[in-house]
Amino acid sequence: MAEYKDSGVVGIDVGWEEWVALKQLGLPALKAKVDTGARTSALHAFTIQPFGSEDNPKVRFGIHPIPDRPDFEVYCSASVVDRREVTSSNGQVELRYVIETPITIGGKTWPVQMTLTNRENMAFKMLLGRQAMEEDVAGEVVSVRPDAANLQGELSYDLYKTLKKAKPISRPLHIAILTREPNNYSSQRMKEAAEARGHTVALVDTKRCYLNIQSHAPEVHYDGAPLPAFDAVIPRIGASLTFYGMAVMRQFEAMGAYCVNTAAAIGASRDKLQAHQLLALHRIPMPTTAFANLPKDTDSLIELVGGAPLVVKLLQSTQGRGVVLGETKKAAEAVIGAFQGLDANFLVQEFVKEAAGEDLRCFVIGKRVVASMIRKGEEGEYRSNLHRGGAAKAVRITKAEREVAVKAAKVMGLRVAGVDILRTNDGPAVLEVNSSPGLEGIEKASKKNVADLIVDHIENNVRPVVGKLTTSRRKKP
Ligand code: ADP
Ligand code: MG
């Protein structure tokens, strides 16, 4: 380096090996071998999966950046600039993806093209070829000094530890929306919002997925081929497909995708009884609720919730369809008797008259209510469901309502949730927590870009790193 400075030329000296960083790929420290025998640089990659469109192809791949640590994986993605036939040192011809990404060596950063190939058993996870060191590429003279090493300083693999907690590097993500209705407002809005941020979205029909659960590497199959490993999956599972949808989600979880809502959380919120029990366990206010099985319990059941008027709800009710108001004790007994006769599971709940056919929908993402609306049922209707002709408008919610909504989503384990709250004389009471809340009503009423906020949440939670990096490594026997 000194030589160039003296002669007024700025340049970089590299030895036969150097520490490099590929920050855009989320790789803060890699040891690269300088290989002037090769023109193009090469990067180690496994499970290389193309995605994106024909005019904007991308590739997702995993890398073990640390030699001897095959358990430590980082997932990367990048735009593909070319596909090229490369002859490796052992004479084999391989068609490789070529990506372009900035490289940092010492204090300098410049864009470099590299091919992706499996270098699993190689000591160096990266080879730095001639093209990367050409002056018009590097912007400076790069001199190779094959007798020296690490002329540009040393980096540490400890840098990967902070990566685990840091906001992930913005990279194109491969996201799946699991839905039976790819064309509905919610699916389309989330797809739009993700694509606007440079991500690729696959709309996956839940019913057409089939699972390979025997193999060591779990897979979800679709139309005769395995689906790729997605960075994130957004489940939009309707009530009629809860059971199967949960199985599909478990498979995606096993494949390492960030699942916006997990199968377990979806299950807990779908089962109205379990949901009420969980809310009660965590002291979240709700209308007084009771559950029974035997006909002879009817009287005390009605007693428990304070007598008529009361509400009887089928456990699998959605869109207000299985919710019946028993205005008098006689009417309540008749409804309960009828449901029992059908062997249906239901719960009985105090009727909150003062809510006057209105309820609050709080849209929770992570630890925040990002949008809210108040829904009012049609004239003479106590059920405010939009599907039943209810109307929605924007509303300012109170601090107490906000806190109750966030807590309800949290105890259910849902990261994206629609929490329905009744305004009672004693403050907010949670009615239900929805794991696939619709976007149309809430976006229109609140004028918030909820879809974009969901994508933002995904970007903040997809973790590029798998495995734990500890400083004290176990010694090999
Ligand atoms: P679903 O899952 O079918 O939507 P909900 O429990 O959300 O069932 O009830 C539907 C609607 O009925 C609610 O949005 C609310 O407006 C009204 N409602 C439900 N429970 C009560 C209650 N205990 N008191 C007053 N209104 C209620
Ligand atoms: Mg409801």
Side-chain angles (χ1 to χ4, degrees):
M1 194 135 202
E3 263 170 68
Y4 289 108
K5 286 222 171 101
D6 291 342
S7 59
V9 182
V10 189
I12 314 159
D13 277 4
V14 295
W16 70 272
E17 69 165 343
E18 288 294 335
W19 283 92
V20 309
L22 304 175
K23 289 183 186 157
Q24 217 173 67
L25 297 182
L27 302 168
L30 268 185
K31 252 188 176 179
K33 186 172 136 193
V34 172
D35 180 11
T36 48
R39 171 153 173 76
T40 317
S41 303
L43 182 67
H44 163 57
F46 59 88
T47 47
I48 302 170
Q49 293 173 337
F51 67 104
S53 57
E54 222 163 273
D55 47 340
N56 186 13
K58 296 165 192 163
V59 69
R60 180 187 192 272
F61 56 94
I63 170 165
H64 303 125
I66 310 174
D68 309 329
R69 289 295 307 273
D71 57 316
F72 185 78
E73 304 170 353
V74 178
Y75 284 90
C76 311
S77 53
S79 288
V80 174
V81 296
D82 198 8
R83 292 201 75 178
R84 217 173 279 164
E85 276 191 352
V86 178
T87 313
S88 62
S89 50
N90 57 19
Q92 262 179 350
V93 180
E94 187 188 24
L95 186 61
R96 295 185 191 169
Y97 290 100
V98 185
I99 60 165
E100 187 175 287
T101 193
I103 193 169
T104 304
I105 305 181
K108 275 273 309 167
T109 302
W110 68 93
V112 164
Q113 290 197 352
M114 53 191 88
T115 63
L116 300 178
T117 183
N118 199 317
R119 302 185 50 80
E120 196 61 80
N121 301 315
M122 312 283 191
F124 288 88
K125 301 300 176 186
M126 187 177 168
L127 291 181
L128 203 59
R130 287 194 308 279
Q131 185 264 350
M133 295 180 288
E134 281 164 4
E135 192 181 345
D136 56 334
V137 174
E140 295 180 31
V141 176
V142 182
S143 313
V144 181
R145 290 180 32 196
D147 53 329
N150 301 323
L151 293 174
Q152 295 298 323
E154 306 226 355
L155 295 170
S156 160
Y157 290 128
D158 281 349
L159 288 167
Y160 286 96
K161 283 189 202 158
T162 49
L163 196 67
K164 188 134 194 172
K165 285 171 231 125
K167 190 180 155 127
I169 310 81
S170 93
R171 62 179 179 99
L173 298 173
H174 200 185
I175 301 171
I177 301 176
L178 194 62
T179 177
R180 291 241 62 214
E181 297 174 346
N183 294 318
N184 77 6
Y185 180 95
S186 302
S187 308
Q188 286 300 317
R189 282 283 302 120
M190 287 189 284
K191 183 170 190 285
E192 254 170 49
E195 286 174 351
R197 287 172 176 241
H199 306 307
T200 298
V201 174
L203 292 160
V204 176
D205 182 345
T206 321
K207 236 181 176 160
R208 269 162 53 196
C209 292
Y210 47 107
L211 312 176
N212 178 357
I213 40 185
Q214 278 182 6
S215 122
H216 293 289
E219 286 174 340
V220 176
H221 286 250
Y222 198 73
D223 289 347
L227 282 174
F230 292 105
D231 293 298
V233 179
I234 306 174
R236 304 286 304 178
I237 294 166
S240 61
L241 214 63
T242 303
F243 188 71
Y244 192 66
M246 280 169 63
V248 176
M249 281 311 289
R250 278 192 296 271
Q251 195 88 344
F252 280 123
E253 287 162 31
M255 289 166 72
Y258 174 72
C259 294
V260 165
N261 283 329
T262 61
I266 295 167
S269 64
R270 262 307 141 67
D271 178 341
K272 274 186 202 279
L273 192 58
Q274 190 185 356
H276 280 87
Q277 286 173 315
L278 263 172
L279 294 173
L281 185 69
H282 290 89
R283 308 255 178 282
I284 291 171
M286 57 186 196
T288 305
T289 305
F291 176 81
N293 198 252
L294 289 170
K296 69 175 167 61
D297 297 330
T298 305
D299 256 5
S300 51
L301 200 60
I302 294 176
E303 205 84 337
L304 272 180
V305 299
L310 54 74
V311 174
V312 187
K313 295 185 187 181
L314 282 176
L315 288 196
Q316 61 274 42
S317 169
T318 58
Q319 306 177 352
R321 269 189 292 239
V323 178
V324 185
L325 175 62
E327 286 190 271
T328 60
K329 184 156 187 264
K330 274 251 156 345
E333 280 170 353
V335 175
I336 292 170
F339 279 0
Q340 277 170 333
L342 291 170
D343 255 341
N345 281 312
F346 61 91
L347 50 80
V348 175
Q349 197 168 61
E350 143 200 23
F351 178 60
V352 181
K353 212 178 298 153
E354 64 267 27
E358 284 189 346
D359 74 351
L360 285 180
R361 160 58 63 94
C362 297
F363 204 104
V364 178
I365 301 179
K367 296 183 184 105
R368 264 186 347 121
V369 175
V370 299
S372 51
M373 62 176 169
I374 192 153
R375 297 177 297 197
K376 184 159 180 50
E378 281 182 314
E379 195 55 40
E381 171 63 69
Y382 67 95
R383 292 167 296 184
S384 57
N385 300 65
L386 299 184
H387 284 101
R388 308 206 65 80
K393 56 181 202 282
V395 66
R396 274 192 75 86
I397 59 169
T398 65
K399 186 162 174 271
E401 286 161 352
R402 192 173 292 278
E403 284 171 1
V404 160
V406 170
K407 196 169 173 202
K410 188 176 172 219
V411 305
M412 223 57 78
L414 294 170
R415 293 176 286 221
V416 168
V419 182
D420 294 344
I421 292 176
L422 286 184
R423 287 180 154 165
T424 80
N425 291 337
D426 303 321
V430 173
L431 265 191
E432 66 172 340
V433 185
N434 196 310
S435 61
S436 298
L439 297 194
E440 187 166 11
I442 196 95
E443 283 197 335
K444 287 183 175 160
S446 71
K447 310 235 164 24
K448 296 264 170 62
N449 190 340
V450 176
D452 189 61
L453 293 165
I454 292 174
V455 178
D456 191 67
H457 170 85
I458 291 173
E459 285 180 7
N460 280 295
N461 286 279
V462 168
R463 284 288 168 259
V465 174
V466 177
K468 216 184 195 148
L469 196 61
T470 45
T471 4
S472 54
R473 281 166 44 188
R474 255 181 297 136
K475 287 206 181 74
K476 283 187 193 139

